[in-house]
Amino acid sequence: MKRLFALLFASLLALFAFATTAQAVSPHFVRADANLSGANLVVDFKEAGLGTNQLISYTATADATATYVCVNRGGGNPSASNKTTVSGPVSASGTFSSGKNGQVTASLTLTPPGPGSFSCPPGQSLEIAQVSYTNVAITDTTNGITEPIPGTFDTGCLLPNVRGAC
C-alpha cells in the first residue's frame, strides 16, 4: 500500500511540474509599432511568455522604396536624370535575453535600400530624398511568431530646401 501511495504521489508531482512549466511558456507579442527616425524605420516591440533567461532572435522586415538624387554645390538637383528610385525588401535582426521576467522589450532599425549602381557626377553629392515603408512586421524567429504592423510609413521630402529633389 505504501508503495502504491508513493508511486501515485510521484506521478502526480511529475504531472504538476510539467503542467506548470507548459503554462509558464506561451510566447505572444504584447505590442509592436514603428516610427520614422530620419530615413530609417524603428520597430519597437514587447513580447512576453518566453520563459526565464531565454535568448530569443527577432527579425524586423518591410518593403521599402527610396528615391536618391544628386545635389550640386548650389543646392539643387540639376536634372531629372540625376534621380533614381529603388525598391525592395529590407530587414534587421537581433537576439535578446528574456531576463528573469520572461519578456523582451527591444527595438530594431530598418534602413532604406541602397542606391544600387546609381552615382553622381563629380561635384555633386548623392542624397536620399524620400523613403516609404510598407508591409512592416516583427518576427520572433525562435518561436515562429510574426506580428504585422499596419500602415504606410512615409518620410515625405527629406530635402525640402533642394530645388527639384522631391
Side-chain angles (χ1 to χ4, degrees):
M1 184 69 168
K2 284 184 181 182
R3 194 178 295 165
L4 180 61
F5 180 69
L7 182 62
L8 182 61
F9 181 74
S11 298
L12 286 174
L13 185 61
L15 181 63
F16 177 72
F18 288 120
T20 301
T21 302
Q23 290 174 347
V25 179
S26 178
H28 60 281
F29 283 98
V30 174
R31 67 169 175 77
D33 54 46
N35 295 292
L36 289 164
S37 176
N40 298 329
L41 185 69
V42 179
V43 176
D44 297 309
F45 59 93
K46 179 176 182 177
E47 188 179 24
L50 298 167
T52 304
N53 296 318
Q54 301 297 309
L55 289 178
I56 310 296
S57 295
Y58 296 91
T59 300
T61 57
D63 293 326
T65 300
T67 300
Y68 288 88
V69 299
C70 294
V71 178
N72 64 22
R73 291 184 185 130
N77 176 251
S79 71
S81 64
N82 281 353
K83 289 184 183 180
T84 191
T85 299
V86 292
S87 297
V90 293
S91 65
S93 298
T95 300
F96 307 95
S97 175
S98 64
K100 66 180 181 175
N101 293 324
Q103 301 178 359
V104 170
T105 302
S107 299
L108 291 171
T109 301
L110 298 172
T111 58
S117 61
F118 180 73
S119 63
C120 297
Q124 296 182 16
S125 63
L126 180 64
E127 304 287 340
I128 191 162
Q130 187 170 1
V131 185
S132 178
Y133 297 91
T134 59
N135 300 318
V136 181
I138 183 72
T139 300
D140 166 348
T141 58
T142 301
N143 294 297
I145 300 169
T146 298
E147 184 73 16
I149 301 171
T152 297
F153 302 87
D154 193 321
T155 63
C157 187
L158 294 168
L159 302 172
N161 297 326
V162 176
R163 293 179 315 277
C166 302

